[in-house]
């Protein structure tokens, strides 16, 4: 890309980027393609590609970062939660249960504890479940 830009062929940049993206997909490099989609602010495509490459932690980070966007729906979050459950990524599940679109603090607390994220569990308990604080400490 830098070569093309340095030689004044800005008109070719989009075409080369598109071909590179397609090549990544054709060669099964979905994770790299997801990074490019994320950098291009194509969050929906990035989530899809990270999911197909099994990089659920990146999916979770994107959802948390863009949770107010229309493309981040309750159904999408619930699907990701199921995928995280299969991977036993309990802390990330708890983070998603805490989002405004799911807002299930009880499940968030359960999975923070199950994921041994006791600091986060304690903070949540202090604000929403004060009866649980003593048992967590």
């Amino acid at each position: 890309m830098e070569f093309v830009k340095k030689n004044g062929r800005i008109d070719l940049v989009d075409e080369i980027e598109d071909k590179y993206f397609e090549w990544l997909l054709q060669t099964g490099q979905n994770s790299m393609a997801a990074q490019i989609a994320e950098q291009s602010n194509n969050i929906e495509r990035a989530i899809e590609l990270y999911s197909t490459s099994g990089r659920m932690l990146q999916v979770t980070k994107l959802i948390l970062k863009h949770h107010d966007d229309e493309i981040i729906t309750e159904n999408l979050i619930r699907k990701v939660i199921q995928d995280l459950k299969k991977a036993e990524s309990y802390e990330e599940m708890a983070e998603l249960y805490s989002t405004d679109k799911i807002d299930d603090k009880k499940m968030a607390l359960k999975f923070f504890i199950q994921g041994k994220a006791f600091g986060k569990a304690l903070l949540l308990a202090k604000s929403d479940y004060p009866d649980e604080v003593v048992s967590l400490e």
Side-chain angles (χ1 to χ4, degrees), residues 122 126 132-137:
L122 190 58
K126 284 180 180 178
E132 302 282 334
V133 172
V134 174
S135 65
L136 285 170
E137 290 180 324

Side-chain angles (χ1 to χ4, degrees), residues 8-54:
R9 294 303 309 261
I10 306 285
D11 58 314
L12 295 177
V13 171
D14 288 340
E15 181 182 342
I16 292 171
E17 284 177 347
D18 290 345
K19 287 184 180 190
Y20 178 60
F21 188 79
E22 285 303 315
W23 177 78
L24 288 172
L25 293 176
Q26 290 171 358
T27 58
Q29 298 181 61
N30 290 354
S31 183
M32 282 292 298
Q35 289 176 1
I36 291 170
E38 183 179 355
Q39 291 167 357
S40 300
N41 211 30
N42 188 346
I43 304 307
E44 188 172 17
R45 185 74 167 138
I47 288 172
E48 175 190 329
L49 291 167
Y50 278 135
S51 293
T52 58
S53 64

Side-chain angles (χ1 to χ4, degrees), residues 4-124:
V4 173
K5 290 177 184 176
K6 284 180 183 177
N7 288 301
R9 294 303 309 261
I10 306 285
D11 58 314
L12 295 177
V13 171
D14 288 340
E15 181 182 342
I16 292 171
E17 284 177 347
D18 290 345
K19 287 184 180 190
Y20 178 60
F21 188 79
E22 285 303 315
W23 177 78
L24 288 172
L25 293 176
Q26 290 171 358
T27 58
Q29 298 181 61
N30 290 354
S31 183
M32 282 292 298
Q35 289 176 1
I36 291 170
E38 183 179 355
Q39 291 167 357
S40 300
N41 211 30
N42 188 346
I43 304 307
E44 188 172 17
R45 185 74 167 138
I47 288 172
E48 175 190 329
L49 291 167
Y50 278 135
S51 293
T52 58
S53 64
R55 300 204 44 207
M56 299 312 295
L57 298 180
Q58 275 72 22
V59 172
T60 303
K61 288 177 186 176
L62 276 179
I63 288 173
L64 294 173
K65 183 177 179 182
H66 298 277
H67 69 278
D68 288 333
D69 292 2
E70 285 183 23
I71 59 163
I72 307 299
T73 63
E74 181 180 346
N75 287 340
L76 171 65
I77 296 171
R78 290 195 183 280
K79 181 189 177 312
V80 171
I81 287 172
Q82 291 305 311
D83 292 340
L84 289 167
K85 188 173 188 175
K86 291 175 192 169
E88 298 180 358
S89 297
Y90 301 119
E91 184 175 351
E92 289 76 16
M93 289 173 64
E95 295 283 356
L96 293 180
Y97 274 117
S98 297
T99 61
D100 292 341
K101 293 186 179 171
I102 302 291
D103 196 31
D104 190 339
K105 304 287 190 215
K106 195 69 169 168
M107 290 299 282
L109 182 62
K110 172 186 173 183
F111 287 111
F112 277 137
I113 293 168
Q114 197 165 350
K116 298 182 179 18
F118 297 114
K120 291 180 180 181
L122 190 58
L123 287 174
L124 181 59

